Amino acid sequence: MGYYEQVKEAADAMAARIREVPRIAVVLGSGLGDFADSLAGGVSMPYGELPHWPASRVIGHDGRLVVGAVRGRAIAALSGRCHAYEGHDMQTVTFAVRALGLLGVKTL
């Protein structure tokens, strides 16, 4: 399976679990994971439950995607991510953003 197909599988898995496709996504830094918990009606998806999604191994990164609402707008919050300094190649580092783009996110 190629990279695009892996990204598509992850996007499809996200779409199957949410009611509304978010147009906005935020990438939370270390210590900001509580923001994801504040999303109204949030659907939490541990990265391990999303196909091909790279695991976050940095302390302070929860390793989950939360899709919910802020002020009535659907958003996706990445609570944790993988990094190049952990030894990941750029395809792996950009995987989450590419999957969110295929899902329909327009603003990051």
Side-chain angles (χ1 to χ4, degrees):
M1 174 180 294
Y3 181 69
Y4 177 83
E5 289 79 20
Q6 290 178 341
V7 172
K8 177 92 169 80
E9 272 191 17
D12 291 345
M14 287 185 283
R17 295 181 65 175
I18 59 175
R19 292 189 337 247
E20 181 181 354
V21 173
R23 296 300 217 188
I24 300 167
V26 293
V27 180
L28 304 174
S30 297
L32 296 175
D34 287 346
F35 175 76
D37 293 329
S38 73
L39 299 178
V43 174
S44 181
M45 296 171 249
Y47 295 160
E49 294 178 6
L50 296 169
H52 316 289
W53 204 281
S56 175
R57 292 183 289 236
V58 174
I59 294 172
H61 290 215
D62 289 342
R64 65 191 173 113
L65 169 69
V66 180
V67 178
V70 173
R71 295 186 177 179
R73 291 188 129 172
I75 71 162
L78 289 169
S79 186
R81 61 198 179 280
C82 66
H83 302 81
Y85 66 74
E86 295 175 278
H88 296 289
D89 62 31
M90 291 313 292
Q91 278 191 333
T92 302
V93 171
T94 61
F95 185 91
V97 172
R98 293 177 190 279
L100 288 168
L102 277 180
L103 178 66
V105 169
K106 300 296 181 196
T107 303
L108 180 65

